[in-house]
Amino acid sequence: MSAYLKVARLDSLQEGAIFPLDLNDKHIILVRMGNEVYALSGFCTHEETDLANGFLVEDRIVCPLHLSQFDCRTGSVLNPPATEPLKKFNVKIEDGWILIEV
Ligand code: FES
């Protein structure tokens, strides 16, 4: 059964940074774009590289190993060698807190 867990204050996340989070045995990355926050699986679907060590280019997360890119908003993969999307987690913002459904 899933539930929303409070993980961080919205104002603690800088735009342009990838924020790693380990929650209920899941490695997750958070990306803030304006007042929206996106939560995605933190491992590249190609060879399970930690995407917290990657970087952002506009609205894309770039894997540090072979440079596949993923859409921050949806997790969809944009170029090879990765072919599978990142899992996306539901996010709510309440009273300045970020809550993730896990
Ligand atoms: S491990 Fe990410 S593209 Fe290869």
Side-chain angles (χ1 to χ4, degrees):
M1 190 171 121
S2 63
Y4 279 90
L5 299 180
K6 193 184 279 189
V7 297
R9 296 280 306 167
L10 177 62
D11 57 14
S12 71
L13 259 63
Q14 291 183 339
E15 289 196 65
I18 298 172
F19 185 85
L21 184 69
D22 291 305
L23 202 58
N24 284 7
D25 296 328
K26 295 179 177 70
H27 182 57
I28 295 171
I29 51 172
L30 304 180
V31 175
R32 178 178 177 179
M33 300 178 72
N35 283 329
E36 298 291 328
V37 173
Y38 301 95
L40 299 164
S41 168
F43 291 116
C44 181
T45 56
H46 179 229
E47 287 185 1
E48 300 208 358
T49 297
D50 187 350
L51 292 173
N53 296 323
F55 53 95
L56 293 173
V57 176
E58 297 174 351
D59 60 351
R60 299 173 309 249
I61 298 162
V62 183
C63 175
L65 191 54
H66 305 115
L67 305 179
S68 278
Q69 298 185 19
F70 300 89
D71 187 308
C72 290
R73 293 181 175 89
T74 65
S76 63
V77 62
L78 302 171
N79 67 297
T83 58
E84 298 295 321
L86 299 176
K87 177 176 172 47
K88 183 180 178 197
F89 296 89
N90 292 324
V91 176
K92 290 196 294 195
I93 310 289
E94 285 182 356
D95 299 326
W97 286 93
I98 301 163
L99 294 92
I100 313 267
E101 186 177 30
V102 289

